[in-house]
Amino acid sequence: MAETESPAGRPGAWKRFVPIAVILAGLAFAYAMGWQRFFSLSFLAERREMLMGFVEANYALSVIGFAVTYALAVAFSFPAASILTIFAGFLFGWLVGGVVVAFAATAGATVIFLAARSAFGDFLRERVGGRVKRLADGFEEDAFSYLLVLRLAPIFPFFVMNIAPALFNVSLRTYVSATFLGILPGTFAYAYLGQGIDSVLLAAKEAGEDVGVSDLVTTEITLAFLALAVVAAIPPVIKRFRAGRA
């Protein structure tokens, strides 16, 4: 008797979707449990003394636990990267917090990238053509530069940029290196905001008001990120311009 094929056309092809299914189930479970309430500046304002006391008494454990929490949040695409980076700066200082976040975020992003690549594989190459395929080919030719620019510029949500490169033929090494370097400016900027947020939290708590990330991120910071992205985009633009004239 012939072996029954999966809808994808290959025996057992459904197994490649298991990692994505686990991630979606984990994300749904987190929301069902209401864990999103812990990822807010309001929660930080209410529990700041408790959290600071725990970190002071258990510094190494706190750093490790925070790194694992951050990596899991990113791996499960929980939209809390900015808040958690501010938490890191508040709890550990901008330098230690920034370093911890950079490694944890890259680790979590790599997990979701591998899961998406396993599930979707060469989706673009197999299903599309024309302009979209040319765009994919262009992205793959200089994936590091493209990824670096997109990581530097705060245009797309962090979780979107963790998954989108999986639709292209981007190597794991390129993805990890571009992600790690690309998130450094934003990571340390948000960690620095977190280090100096204590007075803001106290004032908001006394006034009975909530503080959001948008209240902390200034126009100057956003423009600085965009400027970094423009600078990073110059080499690939010049390269393509020269290739077009050749």
Side-chain angles (χ1 to χ4, degrees):
M1 181 179 294
E3 185 176 5
T4 302
E5 290 192 350
S6 68
R10 294 189 302 273
W14 61 270
K15 294 179 181 179
R16 66 179 185 168
F17 293 100
V18 171
I20 285 292
V22 170
I23 288 172
L24 292 176
L27 182 62
F29 178 77
Y31 273 105
M33 296 297 292
W35 290 350
Q36 65 272 17
R37 68 181 184 275
F38 299 119
F39 301 103
S40 67
L41 294 181
S42 298
F43 174 79
L44 182 59
E46 294 172 0
R47 304 296 179 88
R48 49 181 294 280
E49 294 182 359
M50 180 197 73
L51 292 172
M52 291 174 65
F54 183 84
V55 170
E56 185 176 353
N58 308 274
Y59 189 80
L61 178 62
S62 298
V63 170
I64 295 172
F66 184 88
V68 172
T69 300
Y70 198 111
L72 288 174
V74 172
F76 283 95
S77 297
F78 206 84
S82 298
I83 289 292
L84 283 176
T85 306
I86 291 173
F87 275 36
F90 177 80
L91 296 173
F92 309 113
W94 71 270
L95 181 57
V96 174
V99 170
V100 170
V101 166
F103 282 98
T106 302
T110 301
V111 171
I112 185 64
F113 168 76
L114 291 174
R117 190 170 71 173
S118 170
F120 304 116
D122 297 326
F123 176 81
L124 283 180
R125 289 192 176 280
E126 295 174 356
R127 302 295 180 85
V128 301
R131 182 174 297 180
V132 175
K133 187 177 185 302
R134 289 196 297 272
L135 175 64
D137 291 339
F139 189 97
E140 293 168 13
E141 287 176 6
D142 204 358
F144 180 86
S145 296
Y146 277 102
L147 278 174
L148 188 63
V149 170
L150 292 171
R151 288 295 189 186
L152 287 170
I155 299 174
F156 302 105
F158 187 62
F159 74 93
V160 172
M161 287 311 306
N162 293 339
I163 298 174
L167 300 178
F168 302 92
N169 189 26
V170 177
S171 70
L172 179 61
R173 178 180 298 180
T174 297
Y175 178 85
V176 171
S177 58
T179 295
F180 183 79
L181 294 175
I183 66 174
L184 286 180
T187 293
F188 283 105
Y190 275 86
Y192 188 78
L193 287 176
Q195 180 173 290
I197 199 177
D198 196 36
S199 59
V200 177
L201 294 177
L202 285 174
K205 186 176 181 179
E206 292 175 357
E209 300 176 350
D210 292 331
V211 181
V213 175
S214 59
D215 299 320
L216 306 176
V217 179
T218 64
T219 302
E220 289 77 11
I221 289 177
T222 302
L223 290 176
F225 289 164
L226 291 174
L228 284 170
V230 170
V231 171
I234 292 175
V237 169
I238 294 176
K239 180 179 178 181
R240 293 185 68 84
F241 177 75
R242 288 177 175 174
R245 296 184 61 181

